[in-house]
Amino acid sequence: AASSFLVTRRPFLVSSGLVASSFASATSNTICNMAVAPSQQAISTGYLNANDAAALDVELMSSPGFCLEQLMELAGLSVAEAVFQVIPPSSSSKGKILIVCGPGNNGGDGLVAARHLVMFGYESVVVYPKQSSKEHFVNLVQQCKDLGIPVLDSMPQDLLTKGKYSALVDSIFGFSFHGTLREPFGTIMMQLKEAQETLKIPAISVDIPSGWNVDGGDEANTGFVPDVLISLTAPKLAAKTFKGRHFIGGRFVPPKLSEKYNIQMPPYPGVSQIYEVTSSTQ
């Protein structure tokens, strides 16, 4: 089913440090009754369920001819750009960006983001408990280490030290996740939630909050709700209940696949890889 979002059309430049406007969550009645400024428009992005998200991913790597490495690089760049918009380096108080990576492709997106964030002026710390032995993932880890990024097997002991971290990036599980969180990720998500709530550190989830059912949301009652969600390609069904800052990233879907899966790409401004949206159906 399609979903209406209010989107900002004001372009911003990553190099300038300008920040995209933050929108407060609104009900559908509020959106219907409010006057939309000339710089804004309502669009229908659509949602992807878990099966369609997986099928679209397969088609991206077959029909258009993308490879996994290309898509992961673009996705990770989107994540890094969203972090830049939420917490510009000038306001980060030199706190580090903690990126927790899972064993699959969502974790790979996080590894790419960690590298780009260093190039953007941040200090990244990666937690990667279940490292993949696949060549591309091994290369991503080495790329991080070459930039001096610590790649840890477990959560840092200073996680709850005030001022150490400016953001927590949940890049553990994506649209292929189902069931319940297994260790060590169950404990890790509890630690992230504690740091988020105790120290008010913004939590940022990549594509879907880890532990959530892709279609049904937090059915396992983890209690974890990120402050920021970065939906890759298109919002997943669980995003219908999300009320924080919401970005769409993944500027690579060809029109024929958008039409097939009933989704619409937002009008990304300039060279940006992300677009901030707010749902009118929440």
Side-chain angles (χ1 to χ4, degrees):
S3 164
S4 294
F5 283 91
L6 182 67
V7 302
T8 175
R9 298 199 65 172
R10 300 189 189 97
F12 49 83
L13 299 175
V14 171
S15 59
S16 72
L18 294 176
V19 184
S21 298
S22 175
F23 292 99
S25 298
T27 64
S28 56
N29 288 336
T30 303
I31 292 291
C32 289
N33 294 330
M34 72 186 296
V36 179
S39 61
Q40 301 171 349
Q41 73 173 76
I43 65 170
S44 178
T45 62
Y47 287 104
L48 289 173
N49 60 37
N51 290 336
D52 284 348
L56 174 58
D57 209 45
V58 170
E59 289 204 59
L60 280 169
M61 289 186 283
S62 56
S63 300
F66 285 99
C67 65
L68 175 64
E69 291 82 359
Q70 284 179 294
L71 297 178
M72 195 170 287
E73 188 67 26
L74 290 169
L77 178 58
S78 299
V79 173
E81 189 178 339
V83 172
F84 186 97
Q85 294 303 322
V86 173
I87 306 171
S90 60
S91 68
S92 65
S93 303
K94 298 188 183 301
K96 303 172 185 177
I97 308 298
L98 182 69
I99 303 103
V100 186
C101 300
N105 293 345
N106 198 267
D109 298 341
L111 292 171
V112 172
R115 167 164 45 82
H116 283 295
L117 285 168
V118 168
M119 297 299 185
F120 289 174
Y122 299 87
E123 185 175 353
S124 298
V125 175
V126 168
V127 176
Y128 193 18
K130 299 287 186 180
Q131 298 191 19
S132 172
S133 60
K134 295 179 180 178
E135 182 180 8
H136 181 55
F137 290 83
V138 172
N139 290 341
L140 290 176
V141 170
Q142 187 59 50
Q143 291 164 17
C144 287
K145 291 181 177 179
D146 287 345
L147 289 175
I149 300 172
V151 181
L152 311 177
D153 294 326
S154 59
M155 295 293 276
Q157 294 184 349
D158 61 358
L159 177 63
L160 295 178
T161 301
K162 187 175 182 179
K164 283 289 185 179
Y165 298 95
S166 295
L168 312 169
V169 180
D170 156 33
S171 192
I172 301 176
F173 296 114
F175 63 76
S176 61
F177 176 81
H178 56 86
T180 56
L181 289 168
R182 294 186 293 273
E183 293 300 330
F185 298 109
T187 298
I188 286 174
M189 290 307 300
M190 290 176 61
Q191 292 172 310
L192 284 178
K193 184 172 180 286
E194 182 181 8
Q196 176 197 25
E197 294 177 348
T198 303
L199 300 179
K200 307 304 179 184
I201 306 174
I204 303 170
S205 286
V206 177
D207 206 23
I208 195 77
S210 293
W212 283 27
N213 180 283
V214 179
D215 295 339
D218 189 17
E219 294 182 345
N221 295 317
T222 66
F224 173 70
V225 180
D227 301 282
V228 180
L229 177 63
I230 308 163
S231 293
L232 298 175
T233 308
K236 310 306 180 288
L237 280 177
K240 285 186 174 183
T241 64
F242 182 71
K243 293 179 171 58
R245 292 188 70 175
H246 189 183
F247 295 86
I248 297 178
R251 191 176 181 176
F252 45 69
V253 180
K256 65 177 182 179
L257 291 184
S258 295
E259 293 174 7
K260 180 176 180 179
Y261 290 96
N262 195 29
I263 56 175
Q264 179 180 334
M265 296 298 96
Y268 294 99
V271 297
S272 181
Q273 299 297 309
I274 58 170
Y275 216 111
E276 183 168 10
V277 298
T278 183
S279 177
S280 67
T281 59
Q282 292 176 344

